[in-house]
Amino acid sequence: MESMIRDIKLAPSGHDKIEWVKNFMPVMAAIDEEFSKTKPFAGKKMVITLHLEAKTAYMAEIFQHAGAEVAITGSNPLSTQDDIAAALVEDGLNVFAWHGCTEEEYFTFIDKALDIKPDIIIDDGGDLVHLLHTKRRELLENIIGGSEETTTGVHRLRGLAKEGKLEFPMIAANDAYMKFLFDNRYGTGQSTWDGIMRTTNLVIAGKNVVISGYGWCGKGGAMRARGLGANVIITEVDPIKAIEAVFDGFRVMPMDEAAKVGDIFLTLTGDKDVIRDRHFAVMKNGAMMANSGHFDCEINIPELDRASVSRRTVRNNIEEFKMADGRKLYLLAEGRLVNLAAGDGHPAEIMDLSFAVQFFSAIHLLEHGKDMKPDVYLMPEEINTKIAERKLKALGVSIDVLTPEQRAYLNLE
Ligand SMILES: NC(=O)c1ccc[n+]([C@@H]2O[C@H](COP(=O)([O-])OP(=O)(O)OC[C@H]3O[C@@H](n4cnc5c(N)ncnc54)[C@H](O)[C@@H]3O)[C@@H](O)[C@H]2O)c1
C-alpha cells in the first residue's frame, strides 16, 4: 500500500516524540515485551482510526510487533501530527493522514486504509464503522470485530445496534472503567486546559469558566479549572448530574444565564448546538469558546458566522468573530477537540491505560470474536483488574489483599 502523508522528512521529530512517550507508558511497554514474542496477531490485518499523535503511534507499533499488519488514519482533521505520521511510515506502517486535511480527504484516507481488508478495527468517534456499513460493505464478511475509543462513537454504535444494523461485534472500550475513569476525567481535564492555555497564553484564575456537560469529561474539566483558580459554572440537562455538580461545589445554571457571565466557555457534552445564536447575542465582549467533545457541532459555528460581521484569525488556533455591536467573540481550534487540535492530547500516563484497554479488547476479539454476535459489548471485567494491577506495579504502589476470612465475610467465594 502507498501511504499518504505530508512529508517523510519530518520523521526524525516524530521518532523523538514516540520515544518520549514510551518512557511514561509502562503498562504498554510490558504488553510490547510480552506480545512481541508470542505474536498473537500474526497474519491479521488491522485498521486503526485514532488521533494520530505519539501515544497512538506507540500503540500501533505494538500491534505491529505483535504480528499485525496495520493501516492507520487520523480521527480528526486537526489532531494528526505530520511528523508522527512520517515516523510510522518509516517504521513500516501504512499511514493515511495529514494535519488540516479537508473533510473529503479525511474520508478518502479511511477509505484507502480499508483497502488493507481488516480483520480487526479500532475506531474513534464512529466514522470508520460508518464507512464499513455504507461504502465498504464488501469488507464486512472479513471483520472479526472492533473496539470504539470514545463516548460519541459508542452512542453511534448503540444506535446502529438498536436498529439491528450493526454487522459485527464492537467492544465499547470507552465504557471500561480503566478507560473513562482516567482518560475522560483526568486526561481530558488536564489536556483541555493545556490546549486552552498554550493557545491563549492567558490567566485562568479569576475567570468565569462555563463548562457544559458534567459527565466524565466535564467533571475533569471542572476539577482542573477550579484548581487553576477559575469560578466554575456548570450547565447540564441531566438532573442527577446537575445535583452532583452542586454538591461538588459548583454553580449550576442554564446556558441562557451562563452565556451572560462567562469569560471562557467549554463544551464537553457529545451533543450539538449547546452554544448557539441566542447565546452569542448576550455574551460579554472578549468571551472565548472552546470544545473538547468529539465533534465540532457543540458550538454552532455556522450560526456564529452568520451573527458576526467579520471573522479573522488573530492568533494560531484563535478566530475572532466581530459582532454588529462591536463585541469580539473568540473561537478556539475551529470548535474541534481543543486538547488535540491545539495540544498533544491526553498525557502519556493516562493513554497507557486507555490503550491497554484497546490492546486487550483486540486480544479478546481475536480469541472470542467469531463467537460473538453483532452487538456492543463491554470489555470483560477481569481485564480492568489486570490493567489496574499492572499500572499499580509500574507506579510502585502496593495494596492490601483480602484474607480468606474477609473473602468469606464479603461473600466473594
Ligand atoms: N477531548 C477528548 O480527548 C475526549 C476524551 C473522551 C471523550 N471525549 C468526548 O467528550 C464528549 C463527552 O464525553 P463524556 O464521556 O463526558 O460523556 P458523558 O455521557 O459522561 O457526559 C456528557 C454529559 O453532557 C450532558 N449534556 C448533554 N447534552 C447537553 C446540553 N445540551 N447541555 C448541557 N449538558 C448536556 C449529559 O447530560 C452528560 O452528563 C463526547 O463527545 C466524547 O466522545 C473527548
Side-chain angles (χ1 to χ4, degrees):
M1 293 176 100
E2 182 87 20
S3 287
M4 294 172 75
I5 60 163
R6 191 71 82 188
D7 184 358
I8 193 71
K9 291 199 288 299
L10 299 171
S13 122
H15 288 303
D16 286 348
K17 286 182 181 173
I18 299 169
E19 280 306 313
W20 169 253
V21 299
K22 277 184 189 179
N23 296 318
F24 306 99
M25 299 178 74
V27 176
M28 292 306 281
I31 288 173
D32 193 16
E33 198 184 332
E34 180 178 342
F35 292 93
S36 60
K37 292 187 191 115
T38 54
K39 298 209 183 301
F41 293 97
K44 295 287 182 255
K45 293 175 177 170
M46 291 186 74
V47 173
I48 300 176
T49 293
L50 279 174
H51 300 293
L52 196 43
E53 44 69 58
K55 286 89 68 184
T56 302
Y58 184 34
M59 179 183 69
E61 293 196 344
I62 290 174
F63 275 116
Q64 185 196 42
H65 301 161
E69 189 183 341
V70 179
I72 186 162
T73 77
S75 60
N76 183 296
L78 289 188
S79 64
T80 295
Q81 298 187 10
D82 290 322
D83 51 358
I84 298 290
L88 284 180
V89 171
E90 272 199 354
D91 288 346
L93 283 87
N94 308 288
V95 186
F96 304 89
W98 55 64
H99 182 86
C101 63
T102 63
E103 183 120 343
E104 196 186 337
E105 287 167 341
Y106 170 79
F107 282 105
T108 303
F109 289 150
I110 301 179
D111 200 23
K112 291 262 181 219
L114 281 170
D115 286 344
I116 199 173
K117 299 193 174 63
D119 301 280
I120 292 175
I121 61 156
I122 297 181
D123 201 358
D124 183 351
D127 290 336
L128 173 57
V129 166
H130 174 73
L131 216 64
L132 274 165
H133 283 75
T134 49
K135 192 174 170 201
R136 302 303 302 270
R137 292 189 67 83
E138 85 279 6
L139 299 173
L140 287 171
E141 60 177 5
N142 200 49
I143 302 222
I144 301 171
S147 61
E148 167 56 54
E149 172 74 5
T150 199
T151 314
T152 286
V154 171
H155 287 166
R156 290 175 81 184
L157 282 177
R158 293 227 158 91
L160 212 56
K162 206 165 145 192
E163 290 171 23
K165 290 185 180 158
L166 184 63
E167 300 272 4
F168 49 80
M170 284 292 293
I171 295 181
N174 177 75
D175 294 1
Y177 280 119
M178 290 308 290
K179 200 276 183 182
F180 70 79
L181 279 182
F182 306 102
D183 175 310
N184 298 29
R185 183 167 41 169
Y186 302 114
T188 310
Q190 176 171 320
S191 62
T192 294
W193 287 107
D194 171 34
I196 292 173
M197 289 192 295
R198 70 165 90 169
T199 303
T200 61
N201 190 26
L202 293 172
V203 163
I204 307 302
K207 294 211 166 62
N208 288 337
V209 166
V210 178
I211 299 208
S212 295
Y214 203 63
W216 292 107
C217 293
K219 287 190 220 314
M223 180 198 298
R224 294 306 183 227
R226 174 153 64 191
L228 288 163
N231 304 309
V232 181
I233 296 166
I234 304 293
T235 75
E236 249 298 344
V237 292
D238 179 331
I240 299 172
K241 301 274 179 55
I243 297 175
E244 200 181 358
V246 168
F247 286 126
D248 282 345
F250 298 114
R251 279 194 292 162
V252 178
M253 61 181 80
M255 182 56 85
D256 286 334
E257 295 302 315
K260 297 177 201 158
V261 295
D263 298 304
I264 300 176
F265 293 83
L266 176 61
T267 51
L268 296 134
T269 69
D271 195 1
K272 64 178 216 174
D273 299 339
V274 179
I275 309 182
R276 56 182 314 170
D277 44 12
R278 66 174 194 271
H279 306 125
F280 306 135
V282 297
M283 280 181 181
K284 295 198 290 193
N285 180 37
M288 268 166 242
M289 289 171 272
N291 166 53
S292 216
H294 191 76
F295 283 117
D296 58 350
C297 56
E298 302 214 12
I299 301 164
N300 191 319
I301 300 165
E303 286 185 358
L304 179 58
D305 190 45
R306 279 198 291 280
S308 64
V309 289
S310 69
R311 174 178 181 172
R312 68 186 180 113
T313 299
V314 289
R315 187 179 154 93
N316 187 29
N317 267 324
I318 306 184
E319 266 190 297
E320 173 197 275
F321 292 77
K322 201 161 179 195
M323 313 309 269
D325 58 8
R327 280 175 309 131
K328 293 172 181 169
L329 305 182
Y330 298 104
L331 177 68
L332 273 51
E334 299 178 14
R336 296 187 189 275
L337 296 146
V338 70
N339 61 331
L340 283 142
D344 289 312
H346 294 353
E349 298 99 320
I350 300 283
M351 294 317 289
D352 196 26
L353 300 172
S354 305
F355 286 158
V357 168
Q358 286 290 8
F359 189 88
F360 285 116
S361 295
I363 291 277
H364 185 75
L365 286 165
L366 200 62
E367 291 170 354
H368 306 284
K370 290 275 181 228
D371 306 319
M372 291 161 71
K373 291 194 180 64
D375 207 344
V376 184
Y377 293 86
L378 284 181
M379 190 184 71
E381 191 46 46
E382 64 272 15
I383 301 182
N384 275 311
T385 310
K386 190 157 75 174
I387 295 170
E389 283 168 354
R390 285 177 182 230
K391 187 71 170 182
L392 281 177
K393 192 170 164 215
L395 290 169
V397 175
S398 43
I399 59 172
D400 290 325
V401 179
L402 289 170
T403 63
E405 294 75 16
Q406 286 171 326
R407 292 190 68 80
Y409 179 73
L410 295 169
N411 287 312
L412 292 176
E413 298 309 319

Coordinates of all heavy atoms in Angstrom, one line a residue, residues 159-196:
G159 N -26.8 3.1 18.6 CA -27.9 3.5 17.7 C -28.0 2.4 16.6 O -29.1 1.9 16.3
L160 N -26.9 2.1 16.0 CA -26.8 1.1 14.9 C -27.3 -0.2 15.4 O -28.1 -0.9 14.7 CB -25.3 1.0 14.5 CG -25.0 0.8 13.0 CD1 -25.7 1.8 12.1 CD2 -23.5 0.8 12.8
A161 N -26.8 -0.6 16.6 CA -27.2 -2.0 17.1 C -28.7 -2.0 17.4 O -29.4 -3.0 17.1 CB -26.5 -2.3 18.4
K162 N -29.3 -0.9 17.9 CA -30.7 -0.8 18.2 C -31.6 -1.0 17.0 O -32.6 -1.6 17.0 CB -31.0 0.6 18.9 CG -32.2 0.6 19.8 CD -32.2 1.8 20.6 CE -33.5 2.4 20.9 NZ -33.5 3.7 21.4
E163 N -31.1 -0.4 15.9 CA -31.8 -0.6 14.6 C -31.5 -1.9 13.9 O -32.0 -2.2 12.9 CB -31.3 0.5 13.6 CG -31.8 1.9 14.0 CD -31.1 2.9 13.0 OE1 -30.7 2.6 11.9 OE2 -31.0 4.1 13.5
G164 N -30.7 -2.8 14.6 CA -30.4 -4.1 14.1 C -29.5 -4.0 12.9 O -29.4 -4.9 12.0
K165 N -28.7 -2.9 12.7 CA -27.9 -2.7 11.5 C -26.4 -2.9 11.8 O -25.6 -2.9 10.8 CB -28.1 -1.3 11.0 CG -29.5 -1.1 10.4 CD -29.6 0.2 9.7 CE -31.0 0.4 9.1 NZ -31.3 1.8 9.0
L166 N -26.0 -3.2 13.0 CA -24.6 -3.4 13.3 C -24.2 -4.8 12.8 O -24.9 -5.8 13.1 CB -24.3 -3.3 14.8 CG -22.9 -3.4 15.2 CD1 -22.0 -2.2 14.6 CD2 -22.7 -3.4 16.7
E167 N -23.1 -4.9 12.0 CA -22.8 -6.1 11.3 C -21.7 -7.0 12.0 O -21.5 -8.1 11.5 CB -22.4 -5.8 9.9 CG -23.5 -5.1 9.1 CD -24.4 -6.1 8.4 OE1 -24.3 -7.3 8.6 OE2 -25.3 -5.6 7.6
F168 N -21.1 -6.4 13.0 CA -20.0 -7.2 13.7 C -19.9 -6.8 15.1 O -20.4 -5.7 15.5 CB -18.7 -7.1 12.9 CG -18.2 -5.7 12.6 CD1 -17.7 -4.9 13.6 CD2 -18.4 -5.2 11.3 CE1 -17.3 -3.6 13.3 CE2 -18.0 -3.9 11.0 CZ -17.5 -3.1 12.0
P169 N -19.3 -7.6 16.0 CA -19.2 -7.2 17.4 C -18.3 -6.0 17.6 O -17.2 -6.0 17.0 CB -18.7 -8.5 18.1 CG -18.1 -9.3 17.0 CD -18.8 -8.9 15.7
M170 N -18.7 -5.1 18.5 CA -17.8 -4.0 18.8 C -17.7 -3.9 20.3 O -18.7 -3.9 21.0 CB -18.4 -2.7 18.3 CG -18.3 -2.4 16.8 SD -16.6 -2.1 16.2 CE -16.2 -0.6 17.0
I171 N -16.5 -3.7 20.8 CA -16.3 -3.6 22.2 C -16.3 -2.0 22.5 O -15.5 -1.3 21.9 CB -15.0 -4.2 22.7 CG1 -15.1 -5.7 22.5 CG2 -14.7 -3.9 24.2 CD1 -13.9 -6.5 22.9
A172 N -17.1 -1.6 23.5 CA -17.1 -0.2 23.9 C -15.9 0.0 24.8 O -16.1 0.1 26.0 CB -18.4 0.1 24.5
A173 N -14.7 0.2 24.2 CA -13.5 0.4 25.1 C -13.7 1.6 26.0 O -13.3 1.6 27.1 CB -12.3 0.5 24.2
N174 N -14.4 2.6 25.4 CA -14.7 3.8 26.2 C -15.3 3.5 27.5 O -15.1 4.2 28.5 CB -15.6 4.8 25.4 CG -15.9 6.0 26.2 OD1 -15.1 6.9 26.4 ND2 -17.2 6.1 26.7
D175 N -16.2 2.5 27.6 CA -17.0 2.2 28.7 C -16.3 1.3 29.8 O -16.9 1.0 30.8 CB -18.4 1.6 28.3 CG -19.2 2.6 27.5 OD1 -18.7 3.7 27.3 OD2 -20.3 2.3 27.1
A176 N -15.1 1.0 29.5 CA -14.3 0.2 30.5 C -13.9 1.2 31.6 O -13.4 2.3 31.3 CB -13.1 -0.4 29.9
Y177 N -14.0 0.7 32.9 CA -13.5 1.6 34.0 C -12.1 2.1 33.8 O -11.9 3.3 34.0 CB -13.5 0.8 35.3 CG -14.9 0.7 35.9 CD1 -15.5 -0.6 36.1 CD2 -15.6 1.8 36.3 CE1 -16.7 -0.7 36.7 CE2 -16.9 1.7 36.9 CZ -17.4 0.4 37.1 OH -18.7 0.3 37.6
M178 N -11.3 1.3 33.3 CA -9.9 1.7 33.2 C -9.7 2.7 32.0 O -8.6 3.2 31.8 CB -8.9 0.5 33.0 CG -8.8 -0.4 34.2 SD -8.4 0.6 35.7 CE -6.7 1.0 35.4
K179 N -10.7 2.9 31.3 CA -10.7 4.0 30.3 C -11.3 5.3 30.8 O -10.7 6.2 31.1 CB -11.3 3.5 29.0 CG -10.9 4.3 27.7 CD -11.7 5.6 27.6 CE -11.4 6.3 26.3 NZ -12.1 7.5 26.2
F180 N -12.7 5.2 31.0 CA -13.4 6.5 31.2 C -13.0 7.2 32.5 O -13.0 8.4 32.7 CB -14.9 6.4 31.0 CG -15.6 5.6 32.0 CD1 -16.0 6.1 33.2 CD2 -16.0 4.3 31.7 CE1 -16.7 5.4 34.2 CE2 -16.8 3.6 32.7 CZ -17.1 4.1 33.9
L181 N -12.8 6.4 33.6 CA -12.5 7.0 34.9 C -11.2 7.8 34.8 O -11.1 8.8 35.6 CB -12.3 5.9 35.9 CG -13.5 5.3 36.6 CD1 -13.1 4.3 37.6 CD2 -14.4 6.3 37.2
F182 N -10.3 7.5 34.0 CA -9.0 8.1 33.9 C -8.8 9.0 32.7 O -8.5 10.2 32.8 CB -7.9 7.1 34.0 CG -8.1 6.2 35.3 CD1 -8.6 5.0 35.1 CD2 -7.8 6.7 36.5 CE1 -8.8 4.2 36.3 CE2 -8.0 6.0 37.7 CZ -8.6 4.7 37.5
D183 N -9.1 8.4 31.5 CA -8.9 9.1 30.3 C -9.9 10.3 30.2 O -9.5 11.5 30.0 CB -9.1 8.1 29.1 CG -9.1 8.7 27.7 OD1 -9.8 9.6 27.5 OD2 -8.4 8.1 26.9
N184 N -11.2 10.0 30.3 CA -12.2 11.0 30.1 C -12.1 12.1 31.2 O -12.3 13.3 30.9 CB -13.6 10.4 30.1 CG -13.8 9.4 28.9 OD1 -12.9 8.8 28.5 ND2 -15.0 9.3 28.4
R185 N -11.9 11.6 32.4 CA -11.9 12.6 33.5 C -10.5 13.3 33.6 O -10.4 14.5 33.4 CB -12.2 11.9 34.8 CG -12.3 12.8 36.0 CD -13.0 12.2 37.2 NE -12.5 10.8 37.5 CZ -12.8 10.1 38.6 NH1 -13.5 10.7 39.5 NH2 -12.4 8.9 38.8
Y186 N -9.5 12.6 34.0 CA -8.2 13.2 34.3 C -7.5 13.6 33.0 O -6.8 14.7 32.9 CB -7.3 12.4 35.1 CG -7.9 12.0 36.5 CD1 -8.2 10.7 36.7 CD2 -8.2 13.0 37.4 CE1 -8.8 10.4 38.0 CE2 -8.8 12.7 38.6 CZ -9.1 11.3 38.9 OH -9.7 11.0 40.1
G187 N -7.6 12.8 32.0 CA -6.9 13.1 30.7 C -7.5 14.3 30.0 O -6.8 15.3 29.7
T188 N -8.8 14.3 29.8 CA -9.5 15.4 29.2 C -9.3 16.6 30.1 O -9.1 17.8 29.6 CB -11.0 15.1 28.9 OG1 -11.1 13.9 28.2 CG2 -11.6 16.2 28.0
G189 N -9.5 16.4 31.4 CA -9.4 17.6 32.3 C -8.1 18.3 32.2 O -8.1 19.5 32.0
Q190 N -7.0 17.6 32.2 CA -5.7 18.3 32.1 C -5.4 18.8 30.7 O -5.0 19.9 30.5 CB -4.6 17.4 32.6 CG -3.2 18.0 32.5 CD -2.1 17.2 33.1 OE1 -2.2 16.7 34.2 NE2 -0.9 17.2 32.5
S191 N -5.6 17.9 29.7 CA -5.1 18.3 28.4 C -6.0 19.4 27.8 O -5.5 20.2 27.0 CB -5.1 17.1 27.5 OG -6.4 16.5 27.3
T192 N -7.2 19.5 28.2 CA -8.1 20.6 27.6 C -7.6 21.9 28.1 O -7.4 22.9 27.3 CB -9.5 20.3 28.1 OG1 -10.0 19.1 27.5 CG2 -10.4 21.5 27.7
W193 N -7.2 22.0 29.4 CA -6.7 23.3 29.9 C -5.3 23.6 29.3 O -4.9 24.7 29.1 CB -6.8 23.3 31.4 CG -8.2 23.5 31.8 CD1 -9.0 22.5 32.3 CD2 -9.0 24.6 31.5 NE1 -10.3 23.0 32.4 CE2 -10.3 24.3 32.0 CE3 -8.8 25.9 31.0 CZ2 -11.4 25.2 31.8 CZ3 -9.8 26.8 30.9 CH2 -11.1 26.4 31.3
D194 N -4.5 22.5 29.1 CA -3.2 22.7 28.5 C -3.4 23.3 27.1 O -2.8 24.3 26.7 CB -2.5 21.3 28.3 CG -1.3 21.4 27.5 OD1 -0.6 22.4 27.5 OD2 -1.0 20.4 26.8
G195 N -4.4 22.7 26.3 CA -4.7 23.3 25.0 C -5.1 24.7 25.0 O -4.7 25.6 24.2
I196 N -6.0 25.0 26.0 CA -6.6 26.4 26.0 C -5.5 27.4 26.5 O -5.3 28.4 25.9 CB -7.8 26.4 27.0 CG1 -8.9 25.7 26.4 CG2 -8.2 27.9 27.3 CD1 -10.1 25.5 27.4

